């Protein structure tokens, strides 16, 4: 039986329109909460494709990473819709469905998503137009049609794929070309002392920057360029992050100096492993470098979100697992609402409790 409440469900899959779909779903849930006068719940579910998902650690990690990222996006979007002192109008839930059965066609995916929706009293489902679980063969009804057949109120998020006009002889667009070309040319001028006035040298710089852009732009840039508003917000957060990072470095220096000057030299080196709740090359790199800059800890290896860190003293390990730096990096890239995510220590304890 399909519920008539205001809760909303979003089937999640990695796509180029997922971020905008999340924003639309948050708006729908917020409007429903405002109309009803009570908080609603926004459910994000990842439909697993194969039963083997349960034994595929990489697939499980990728699904959990995507769901955590989506919840962080949603929290940031909700923060922009409500006042700073207003209570949240939307709660967030996430999970994976279809792991214990064979799921193949759009109808199969609709079945597992529909059962989750029924079990949680959800009547409205927001669908990402770029997400096509089970394929889109002409002989099969679409995922959306299968959900509507089961009585759900299905809304396709009104988002469109960005059309990218590519330049001749390259796979990049004009904005990407301009960014990499400008950076390369400015670097060329910096090597020349910024006072390059000779026409031949300027022409050489333009040609060099052009060759670098055409050959390395695909390597230098991963994904679409972010909007100027997003870049500006991140720069402001980075400006707030820098003095806090310097304070953490200063505290670590004092703690390490005490250990070095202590007559017994009470060091206790160990290697700490944990999965960080940050996603994407830039956030992961920022966290890894922040850990290394902090005396007493050294990032040894990073594989996706899995960190291997050398800690010289127990206090350094404690600070690392308390997640202060991780929380600050999430603030820079995802907003203050992402601080709700548990610390590395809490996540490790939950994992150990679940496996026992």
């Amino acid at each position: 039986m399909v519920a008539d409440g205001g809760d909303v469900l979003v089937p999640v899959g990695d796509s180029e329109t997922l971020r905008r779909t999340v924003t639309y779903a948050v708006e729908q849930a917020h409007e429903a909460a405002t109309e009803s006068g009570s908080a609603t719940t926004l459910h994000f579910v990842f439909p697993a494709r194969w039963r083997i998902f349960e034994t595929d650690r990489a697939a499980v990690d990728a699904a959990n990473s995507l769901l955590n990222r989506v919840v962080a996006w949603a929290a940031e979007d909700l923060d922009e819709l409500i006042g700073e002192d207003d209570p949240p109008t939307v709660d967030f839930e996430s999970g994976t469905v279809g792991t214990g059965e064979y799921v193949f066609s759009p109808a199969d995916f609709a079945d597992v998503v529909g059962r989750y929706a029924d079990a949680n009293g959800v009547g409205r489902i927001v669908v990402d137009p770029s997400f096509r679980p089970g394929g889109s063969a002409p002989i099969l009804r679409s995922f959306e049609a299968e959900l509507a057949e089961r009585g759900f109120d299905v809304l396709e998020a009104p988002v469109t794929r960005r059309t990218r006009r590519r330049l001749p002889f390259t796979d990049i667009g004009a904005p990407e070309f301009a960014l990499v070309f400008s950076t390369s040319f400015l670097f060329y001028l910096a090597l020349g002392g910024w006072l390059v006035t000779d026409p031949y040298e300027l022409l050489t710089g333009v040609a060099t920057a052009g060759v670098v852009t055409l050959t390395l732009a695909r390597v230098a840039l991963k994904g679409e360029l972010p909007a100027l508003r997003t870049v500006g917000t991140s720069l402001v957060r980075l400006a707030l992050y820098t003095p806090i990072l310097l304070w953490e470095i200063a505290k670590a220096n004092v703690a390490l100096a005490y250990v070095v000057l202590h007559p017994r030299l009470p060091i206790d080196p160990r290697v700490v492993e944990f999965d960080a709740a940050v996603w994407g090359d830039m956030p992961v790199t920022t966290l890894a470098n922040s850990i290394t800059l902090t005396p007493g800890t050294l990032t040894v290896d990073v594989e996706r979100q899995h960190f291997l860190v050398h800690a010289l003293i127990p206090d350094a390990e404690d600070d690392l697992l308390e997640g202060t730096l991780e929380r600050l990096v999430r603030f820079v890239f995802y907003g203050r609402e992402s601080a709700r995510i548990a610390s590395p220590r809490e996540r490790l304890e939950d994992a150990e409790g679940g496996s026992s």
Side-chain angles (χ1 to χ4, degrees), residues 58-70:
V60 173
D61 290 343
N64 292 335
S65 172
L66 181 61
L67 288 170
N68 288 335
R69 190 189 329 164
V70 165

Side-chain angles (χ1 to χ4, degrees), residues 252-318:
N253 267 307
V254 172
L256 195 60
Y258 170 79
V259 171
V260 171
L261 297 175
H262 195 283
R264 296 181 180 178
L265 195 63
I267 63 172
D268 185 13
R270 75 277 308 275
V271 174
V272 184
E273 290 189 66
F274 67 97
D275 292 322
V278 293
W279 313 275
D281 291 346
M282 187 61 72
V284 169
T285 302
T286 302
L287 178 58
N289 288 338
S290 299
I291 291 173
T292 298
L293 285 171
T294 306
T297 53
L298 174 68
T299 303
V300 178
D301 187 38
V302 179
E303 185 176 351
R304 292 191 178 183
Q305 297 165 263
H306 188 74
F307 278 65
L308 192 67
V309 179
H310 179 273
L312 188 62
I313 56 178
D315 287 347
E317 180 185 11
D318 291 339

Side-chain angles (χ1 to χ4, degrees), residues 144-158:
E144 296 91 328
E146 292 287 352
L147 288 172
E149 177 70 19
R150 287 157 177 77
F152 294 102
D153 179 16
V154 180
L155 301 177
E156 183 176 286

Side-chain angles (χ1 to χ4, degrees), residues 63-196:
N64 292 335
S65 172
L66 181 61
L67 288 170
N68 288 335
R69 190 189 329 164
V70 165
V71 171
W73 287 340
E76 185 176 1
D77 291 334
L78 180 62
D79 188 46
E80 295 181 358
L81 291 175
I82 62 177
E84 184 175 349
D85 299 324
D86 295 335
T89 55
V90 182
D91 297 321
F92 304 112
E93 297 286 344
S94 63
T96 306
V97 296
T99 58
E101 56 192 283
Y102 181 79
V103 182
F104 179 74
S105 68
D108 295 334
F109 283 99
D111 282 339
V112 296
V113 171
R115 286 199 296 271
Y116 177 95
D118 290 336
N120 290 274
V122 178
R124 179 179 299 179
I125 299 179
V126 173
V127 179
D128 178 358
S130 297
F131 182 45
R132 292 286 181 267
S136 56
I139 61 174
L140 299 175
R141 286 198 301 181
S142 67
F143 179 56
E144 296 91 328
E146 292 287 352
L147 288 172
E149 177 70 19
R150 287 157 177 77
F152 294 102
D153 179 16
V154 180
L155 301 177
E156 183 176 286
V159 296
T160 56
R161 296 183 180 183
R162 298 177 183 177
T163 57
R164 299 180 62 194
R165 296 184 177 180
R166 305 183 187 278
L167 297 175
F169 311 112
T170 180
D171 289 334
I172 64 173
E176 292 87 350
F177 183 93
L179 176 62
V180 179
F181 179 86
S182 300
T183 304
S184 302
F185 186 63
L186 289 174
F187 181 70
Y188 177 88
L189 294 179
L191 292 178
W194 297 104
L195 298 177
V196 179

Side-chain angles (χ1 to χ4, degrees), residues 188 196-207:
Y188 177 88
V196 179
T197 57
D198 182 73
Y200 176 77
E201 291 186 4
L202 291 174
L203 183 61
T204 303
V206 170

